Amino acid sequence: MQRPRVVVSLGASADGKVALTREQLLMGTVSGALFSAMSPPAADPALCDPMEAVKLQYGCNATLEGSGSLVGNDAVPAPLPAYGDDPARLYSHFLPPEKPSLPSPPHMWFTAVDGRGRVRWTEDHENWDILVLVCRSTPSDYLAYLRSRNICYLVAGEQHVDLAQAITAMGAELGIRCVLSTAGGALQGALLRADLIDELHLSIAPALVGGLGTPTIMDGRPLDIGEAPTPLRLLSVLTDTAGTVRLHYEVIHDSADSAHG
């Protein structure tokens, strides 16, 4: 089974920052509004909706986020009821039979990597289903909670979510052919180091954020000494009079071992 294609879509400042500070979430907050305002309206907007592009080209029906985009690093999740039964049965994929097994627009999967079990899911969406990527060290109470909410999850990895296994399972178990990752720099950096990124859509705002430790488009493990950067092939450049630049790259993989669907 070839893994799904992984397309990364990010908005960043001219200095590559994807947040204002490490402590401020962008989703649905004042900080998010400030970040969005870095790209001012333009009379000639360079229209490019990565989600619509990947839907059209690859039949994409899944997005990917990290738990850090949904829950602050200092947030204390609400306690969950203790799971008193045999936890062993929880550590296998949980895919309720009524969930679709093949792409069926307009259905979409909102996928989150949450090996620590931090996110509490309180909202439902008519055209989206939640899919959580967990591992064998994820607390059993959290897996029981997901099952009680009828939320699908895939188990991949031991102490941490194995992204390569998880994304391959998304294709094998759910027929997903393409994943659009809109996550923060930590997860994007993990995808990069695992050689899982196939394309990059990058929107650069005409603004500077600065700040040592402020998340960038690709965080995570630095290169080893002698390890080469990942090469890219430019596919397109779009600009507007307000100063926003939209870049579209293809990743040049080293070998056929990183083949995708």
Side-chain angles (χ1 to χ4, degrees), residues 168-188:
T168 299
M170 290 172 69
E173 301 292 340
L174 296 167
I176 293 169
R177 292 176 291 174
C178 174
V179 178
L180 181 68
S181 177
T182 55
L187 181 53
Q188 306 292 24

PDB file of all heavy atoms in Angstrom, residues 168-188:
ATOM      1  N   THR A 168       0.191   6.041   6.401  1.00  0.00           N
ATOM      2  CA  THR A 168      -0.056   4.870   5.559  1.00  0.00           C
ATOM      3  C   THR A 168      -1.362   4.195   5.960  1.00  0.00           C
ATOM      4  O   THR A 168      -2.142   3.760   5.097  1.00  0.00           O
ATOM      5  CB  THR A 168       1.116   3.882   5.663  1.00  0.00           C
ATOM      6  OG1 THR A 168       2.309   4.517   5.200  1.00  0.00           O
ATOM      7  CG2 THR A 168       0.859   2.642   4.820  1.00  0.00           C
ATOM      8  N   ALA A 169      -1.627   4.123   7.258  1.00  0.00           N
ATOM      9  CA  ALA A 169      -2.881   3.519   7.736  1.00  0.00           C
ATOM     10  C   ALA A 169      -4.093   4.331   7.305  1.00  0.00           C
ATOM     11  O   ALA A 169      -5.168   3.768   7.055  1.00  0.00           O
ATOM     12  CB  ALA A 169      -2.856   3.370   9.253  1.00  0.00           C
ATOM     13  N   MET A 170      -3.938   5.649   7.220  1.00  0.00           N
ATOM     14  CA  MET A 170      -5.045   6.477   6.743  1.00  0.00           C
ATOM     15  C   MET A 170      -5.455   6.070   5.328  1.00  0.00           C
ATOM     16  O   MET A 170      -6.636   6.079   4.981  1.00  0.00           O
ATOM     17  CB  MET A 170      -4.645   7.952   6.783  1.00  0.00           C
ATOM     18  CG  MET A 170      -4.518   8.523   8.186  1.00  0.00           C
ATOM     19  SD  MET A 170      -3.814  10.193   8.228  1.00  0.00           S
ATOM     20  CE  MET A 170      -5.164  11.151   7.487  1.00  0.00           C
ATOM     21  N   GLY A 171      -4.463   5.722   4.515  1.00  0.00           N
ATOM     22  CA  GLY A 171      -4.779   5.248   3.175  1.00  0.00           C
ATOM     23  C   GLY A 171      -5.358   3.851   3.174  1.00  0.00           C
ATOM     24  O   GLY A 171      -6.376   3.577   2.532  1.00  0.00           O
ATOM     25  N   ALA A 172      -4.730   2.943   3.944  1.00  0.00           N
ATOM     26  CA  ALA A 172      -5.151   1.545   3.930  1.00  0.00           C
ATOM     27  C   ALA A 172      -6.519   1.344   4.566  1.00  0.00           C
ATOM     28  O   ALA A 172      -7.340   0.565   4.077  1.00  0.00           O
ATOM     29  CB  ALA A 172      -4.101   0.691   4.660  1.00  0.00           C
ATOM     30  N   GLU A 173      -6.791   2.057   5.679  1.00  0.00           N
ATOM     31  CA  GLU A 173      -8.031   1.832   6.429  1.00  0.00           C
ATOM     32  C   GLU A 173      -9.191   2.690   5.939  1.00  0.00           C
ATOM     33  O   GLU A 173     -10.352   2.287   6.060  1.00  0.00           O
ATOM     34  CB  GLU A 173      -7.797   2.112   7.918  1.00  0.00           C
ATOM     35  CG  GLU A 173      -6.723   1.263   8.570  1.00  0.00           C
ATOM     36  CD  GLU A 173      -7.126  -0.195   8.670  1.00  0.00           C
ATOM     37  OE1 GLU A 173      -8.336  -0.488   8.592  1.00  0.00           O
ATOM     38  OE2 GLU A 173      -6.224  -1.042   8.826  1.00  0.00           O
ATOM     39  N   LEU A 174      -8.887   3.870   5.397  1.00  0.00           N
ATOM     40  CA  LEU A 174      -9.957   4.820   5.061  1.00  0.00           C
ATOM     41  C   LEU A 174      -9.945   5.263   3.596  1.00  0.00           C
ATOM     42  O   LEU A 174     -10.743   6.101   3.210  1.00  0.00           O
ATOM     43  CB  LEU A 174      -9.852   6.051   5.968  1.00  0.00           C
ATOM     44  CG  LEU A 174     -10.084   5.768   7.456  1.00  0.00           C
ATOM     45  CD1 LEU A 174      -9.648   6.962   8.297  1.00  0.00           C
ATOM     46  CD2 LEU A 174     -11.541   5.442   7.722  1.00  0.00           C
ATOM     47  N   GLY A 175      -9.035   4.726   2.808  1.00  0.00           N
ATOM     48  CA  GLY A 175      -9.007   5.074   1.389  1.00  0.00           C
ATOM     49  C   GLY A 175      -8.570   6.494   1.116  1.00  0.00           C
ATOM     50  O   GLY A 175      -8.847   7.041   0.046  1.00  0.00           O
ATOM     51  N   ILE A 176      -7.882   7.125   2.064  1.00  0.00           N
ATOM     52  CA  ILE A 176      -7.437   8.508   1.884  1.00  0.00           C
ATOM     53  C   ILE A 176      -6.242   8.524   0.942  1.00  0.00           C
ATOM     54  O   ILE A 176      -5.265   7.793   1.145  1.00  0.00           O
ATOM     55  CB  ILE A 176      -7.083   9.143   3.247  1.00  0.00           C
ATOM     56  CG1 ILE A 176      -8.354   9.284   4.086  1.00  0.00           C
ATOM     57  CG2 ILE A 176      -6.394  10.488   3.075  1.00  0.00           C
ATOM     58  CD1 ILE A 176      -8.099   9.649   5.538  1.00  0.00           C
ATOM     59  N   ARG A 177      -6.308   9.368  -0.085  1.00  0.00           N
ATOM     60  CA  ARG A 177      -5.232   9.430  -1.078  1.00  0.00           C
ATOM     61  C   ARG A 177      -4.321  10.627  -0.896  1.00  0.00           C
ATOM     62  O   ARG A 177      -3.210  10.659  -1.419  1.00  0.00           O
ATOM     63  CB  ARG A 177      -5.839   9.462  -2.482  1.00  0.00           C
ATOM     64  CG  ARG A 177      -6.531   8.161  -2.878  1.00  0.00           C
ATOM     65  CD  ARG A 177      -7.182   8.276  -4.229  1.00  0.00           C
ATOM     66  NE  ARG A 177      -8.347   9.183  -4.193  1.00  0.00           N
ATOM     67  CZ  ARG A 177      -9.032   9.542  -5.268  1.00  0.00           C
ATOM     68  NH1 ARG A 177      -8.670   9.124  -6.464  1.00  0.00           N
ATOM     69  NH2 ARG A 177     -10.077  10.347  -5.155  1.00  0.00           N
ATOM     70  N   CYS A 178      -4.788  11.634  -0.177  1.00  0.00           N
ATOM     71  CA  CYS A 178      -4.009  12.857  -0.009  1.00  0.00           C
ATOM     72  C   CYS A 178      -4.381  13.498   1.319  1.00  0.00           C
ATOM     73  O   CYS A 178      -5.559  13.544   1.683  1.00  0.00           O
ATOM     74  CB  CYS A 178      -4.277  13.822  -1.173  1.00  0.00           C
ATOM     75  SG  CYS A 178      -3.494  15.440  -1.003  1.00  0.00           S
ATOM     76  N   VAL A 179      -3.363  13.983   2.039  1.00  0.00           N
ATOM     77  CA  VAL A 179      -3.556  14.645   3.324  1.00  0.00           C
ATOM     78  C   VAL A 179      -3.008  16.066   3.209  1.00  0.00           C
ATOM     79  O   VAL A 179      -1.875  16.264   2.768  1.00  0.00           O
ATOM     80  CB  VAL A 179      -2.810  13.894   4.449  1.00  0.00           C
ATOM     81  CG1 VAL A 179      -2.986  14.614   5.782  1.00  0.00           C
ATOM     82  CG2 VAL A 179      -3.284  12.444   4.538  1.00  0.00           C
ATOM     83  N   LEU A 180      -3.814  17.048   3.607  1.00  0.00           N
ATOM     84  CA  LEU A 180      -3.360  18.444   3.628  1.00  0.00           C
ATOM     85  C   LEU A 180      -2.998  18.803   5.064  1.00  0.00           C
ATOM     86  O   LEU A 180      -3.860  18.863   5.928  1.00  0.00           O
ATOM     87  CB  LEU A 180      -4.451  19.377   3.106  1.00  0.00           C
ATOM     88  CG  LEU A 180      -4.060  20.863   3.062  1.00  0.00           C
ATOM     89  CD1 LEU A 180      -2.982  21.105   2.004  1.00  0.00           C
ATOM     90  CD2 LEU A 180      -5.274  21.753   2.765  1.00  0.00           C
ATOM     91  N   SER A 181      -1.716  19.018   5.320  1.00  0.00           N
ATOM     92  CA  SER A 181      -1.261  19.348   6.665  1.00  0.00           C
ATOM     93  C   SER A 181      -1.212  20.859   6.837  1.00  0.00           C
ATOM     94  O   SER A 181      -0.477  21.558   6.144  1.00  0.00           O
ATOM     95  CB  SER A 181       0.125  18.751   6.917  1.00  0.00           C
ATOM     96  OG  SER A 181       0.589  19.134   8.197  1.00  0.00           O
ATOM     97  N   THR A 182      -1.990  21.349   7.792  1.00  0.00           N
ATOM     98  CA  THR A 182      -2.008  22.779   8.128  1.00  0.00           C
ATOM     99  C   THR A 182      -1.505  22.981   9.552  1.00  0.00           C
ATOM    100  O   THR A 182      -1.844  23.955  10.211  1.00  0.00           O
ATOM    101  CB  THR A 182      -3.434  23.338   7.982  1.00  0.00           C
ATOM    102  OG1 THR A 182      -4.344  22.570   8.782  1.00  0.00           O
ATOM    103  CG2 THR A 182      -3.886  23.294   6.532  1.00  0.00           C
ATOM    104  N   ALA A 183      -0.692  22.057  10.026  1.00  0.00           N
ATOM    105  CA  ALA A 183      -0.238  22.036  11.406  1.00  0.00           C
ATOM    106  C   ALA A 183       0.810  23.116  11.669  1.00  0.00           C
ATOM    107  O   ALA A 183       1.229  23.847  10.770  1.00  0.00           O
ATOM    108  CB  ALA A 183       0.330  20.659  11.739  1.00  0.00           C
ATOM    109  N   GLY A 184       1.249  23.189  12.932  1.00  0.00           N
ATOM    110  CA  GLY A 184       2.293  24.115  13.316  1.00  0.00           C
ATOM    111  C   GLY A 184       3.674  23.576  12.976  1.00  0.00           C
ATOM    112  O   GLY A 184       3.836  22.470  12.454  1.00  0.00           O
ATOM    113  N   GLY A 185       4.687  24.368  13.316  1.00  0.00           N
ATOM    114  CA  GLY A 185       6.039  24.042  12.908  1.00  0.00           C
ATOM    115  C   GLY A 185       6.581  22.750  13.477  1.00  0.00           C
ATOM    116  O   GLY A 185       7.378  22.065  12.816  1.00  0.00           O
ATOM    117  N   ALA A 186       6.183  22.361  14.681  1.00  0.00           N
ATOM    118  CA  ALA A 186       6.714  21.135  15.290  1.00  0.00           C
ATOM    119  C   ALA A 186       6.302  19.899  14.494  1.00  0.00           C
ATOM    120  O   ALA A 186       7.136  19.041  14.169  1.00  0.00           O
ATOM    121  CB  ALA A 186       6.254  21.023  16.734  1.00  0.00           C
ATOM    122  N   LEU A 187       5.012  19.804  14.164  1.00  0.00           N
ATOM    123  CA  LEU A 187       4.556  18.645  13.402  1.00  0.00           C
ATOM    124  C   LEU A 187       5.076  18.697  11.971  1.00  0.00           C
ATOM    125  O   LEU A 187       5.466  17.666  11.406  1.00  0.00           O
ATOM    126  CB  LEU A 187       3.027  18.565  13.418  1.00  0.00           C
ATOM    127  CG  LEU A 187       2.409  17.380  12.672  1.00  0.00           C
ATOM    128  CD1 LEU A 187       3.001  16.061  13.132  1.00  0.00           C
ATOM    129  CD2 LEU A 187       0.898  17.370  12.839  1.00  0.00           C
ATOM    130  N   GLN A 188       5.108  19.886  11.365  1.00  0.00           N
ATOM    131  CA  GLN A 188       5.638  19.979  10.007  1.00  0.00           C
ATOM    132  C   GLN A 188       7.103  19.548   9.974  1.00  0.00           C
ATOM    133  O   GLN A 188       7.552  18.872   9.051  1.00  0.00           O
ATOM    134  CB  GLN A 188       5.508  21.414   9.470  1.00  0.00           C
ATOM    135  CG  GLN A 188       4.115  22.006   9.533  1.00  0.00           C
ATOM    136  CD  GLN A 188       3.106  21.359   8.587  1.00  0.00           C
ATOM    137  OE1 GLN A 188       3.250  20.211   8.184  1.00  0.00           O
ATOM    138  NE2 GLN A 188       2.067  22.098   8.243  1.00  0.00           N
TER     139      GLN A 188
END
